[in-house]
């Protein structure tokens, strides 16, 4: 009868223990973001709030699944339980297939997602000129973004602020001689709207997400191989 390889057994345990720890870290981060005051201020607008909270809730759910899979993998390896290893294999395979499906859908509907981002930004630009108290937090968040990236407004420049332009001291004030400035309502302001910077920011972060997803896919494939080898060895013991 073939024996169970100690190397594969404990490699499987260490792999899943790290997997479980990653789940805890992601869960803690997601919960912190969910209850963070800064997050609620930035994404409190009607346009951005629901989708942003949904994304965080999905992250919480995914991290919980990762923790469960990590637990199954650890216990399955140490106790040499074929049932746990099989559940781990199926769960990890489903996650890998979902990642592949998400990547394919993301590539197919890229133009659609670009259109959605544009529509969201154009709708959000309307919030800059309102005097509704609930939109103040969003306006203040955009002011911080403008100072950081040296831009003005979301889509049409300083015009986006409407009558609120005079309400905020130093709004869009152009102090950088290396940047293109324009004259608006008696002030030198940044000419370029922030929409291009936001799109660049999203594109850079999307690249990071794709890189992380690819790295996770490699790790998941290794986990599938280890769990199936261990599953077969236990069956042949």
């Amino acid at each position: 009868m073939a024996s169970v390889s100690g190397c594969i057994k404990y490699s499987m345990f260490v792999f899943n223990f790290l997997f479980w720890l990653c789940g805890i870290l992601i869960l803690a981060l997601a919960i912190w973001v969910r209850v963070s005051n800064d997050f609620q201020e930035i994404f409190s607008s009607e346009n951005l709030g629901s989708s942003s909270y949904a994304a965080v809730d999905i992250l919480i759910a995914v991290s919980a699944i990762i923790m469960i899979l990590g637990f199954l993998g650890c216990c399955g390896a140490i106790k040499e339980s074929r049932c746990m290893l099989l559940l781990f294999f199926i769960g990890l395979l489903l996650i890998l297939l979902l990642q592949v499906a998400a990547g394919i859908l993301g590539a197919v509907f890229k133009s659609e997602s670009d259109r959605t981002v544009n529509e969201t930004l154009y709708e959000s630009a309307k919030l800059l000129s309102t005097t509704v108290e609930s939109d103040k937090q969003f306006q203040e968040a955009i002011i911080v973004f403008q100072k950081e990236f040296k831009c003005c407004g979301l889509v049409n420049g300083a015009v986006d602020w409407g009558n609120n332009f005079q309400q905020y001291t130093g709004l869009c004030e152009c102090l950088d001689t290396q940047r293109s400035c324009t004259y608006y309502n008696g002030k030198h302001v940044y000419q370029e709207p922030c929409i291009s910077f936001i799109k660049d920011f999203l594109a850079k972060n999307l690249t990071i997400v794709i890189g992380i997803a690819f790295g996770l896919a490699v790790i998941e494939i290794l986990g599938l191989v280890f769990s199936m080898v261990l599953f077969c060895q236990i069956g042949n013991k």
Side-chain angles (χ1 to χ4, degrees):
M1 301 289 287
S3 61
V4 176
S5 170
C7 178
I8 293 179
K9 177 179 177 178
Y10 290 107
S11 295
M12 181 74 179
F13 174 82
V14 171
F15 168 82
N16 283 283
F17 181 71
L18 294 176
F19 200 54
W20 180 75
L21 285 179
C22 286
I24 291 179
L25 290 174
I26 295 172
L27 180 63
L29 178 63
I31 293 174
W32 176 79
V33 170
R34 188 68 170 82
V35 301
S36 170
N37 289 330
D38 293 336
F39 177 85
Q40 292 176 8
E41 287 178 5
I42 294 173
F43 295 103
S44 59
S45 72
E46 186 176 344
N47 292 312
L48 300 177
S50 58
S51 60
S52 301
Y53 283 124
V56 176
D57 291 340
I58 290 172
L59 193 60
I60 291 174
V62 169
S63 61
I65 293 172
I66 289 174
M67 289 175 61
I68 293 171
L69 287 178
F71 173 78
L72 287 173
C74 283
C75 292
I78 291 299
K79 293 186 176 183
E80 298 185 7
S81 169
R82 299 188 80 202
C83 179
M84 286 186 172
L85 288 173
L86 185 60
L87 288 173
F88 171 81
F89 180 88
I90 294 172
L92 198 59
L93 181 61
L94 287 175
I95 289 179
L96 182 61
L97 292 175
L98 285 173
Q99 282 181 221
V100 173
I104 293 172
L105 289 174
V108 171
F109 294 104
K110 185 179 185 302
S111 59
E112 181 69 18
S113 63
D114 290 341
R115 185 182 64 81
T116 303
V117 169
N118 282 330
E119 288 179 354
T120 301
L121 291 174
Y122 273 83
E123 286 297 317
S124 298
K126 299 176 183 178
L127 301 178
L128 300 182
S129 59
T130 66
T131 56
V132 181
E133 191 64 31
S134 59
D135 295 332
K136 294 290 184 183
Q137 292 177 333
F138 177 74
Q139 292 170 5
E140 290 169 0
I142 294 299
I143 290 172
V144 173
F145 189 89
Q146 288 179 159
K147 290 180 179 178
E148 177 71 23
F149 291 91
K150 296 180 174 57
C151 55
C152 186
L154 277 176
V155 178
N156 301 307
V159 179
D160 289 338
W161 288 96
N163 294 330
N164 287 336
F165 183 78
Q166 301 294 343
Q167 301 300 318
Y168 294 100
T169 305
L171 184 67
C172 297
E173 188 176 3
C174 186
L175 302 175
D176 190 347
T177 57
Q178 302 298 319
R179 294 276 184 172
S180 296
C181 301
T182 187
Y183 201 67
Y184 181 79
N185 275 16
K187 296 180 181 178
H188 282 94
V189 298
Y190 293 111
Q191 184 175 9
E192 189 170 1
C194 296
I195 185 170
S196 58
F197 294 97
I198 293 174
K199 287 183 176 180
D200 288 343
F201 177 79
L202 293 174
K204 288 177 182 177
N205 281 274
L206 180 61
T207 302
I208 294 173
V209 170
I210 291 173
I212 293 173
F214 181 78
L216 283 174
V218 173
I219 295 173
E220 286 162 4
I221 291 172
L222 290 174
L224 290 172
V225 172
F226 278 138
S227 62
M228 188 48 62
V229 170
L230 192 58
F231 178 86
C232 293
Q233 287 185 351
I234 295 171
N236 293 331
K237 189 172 68 171

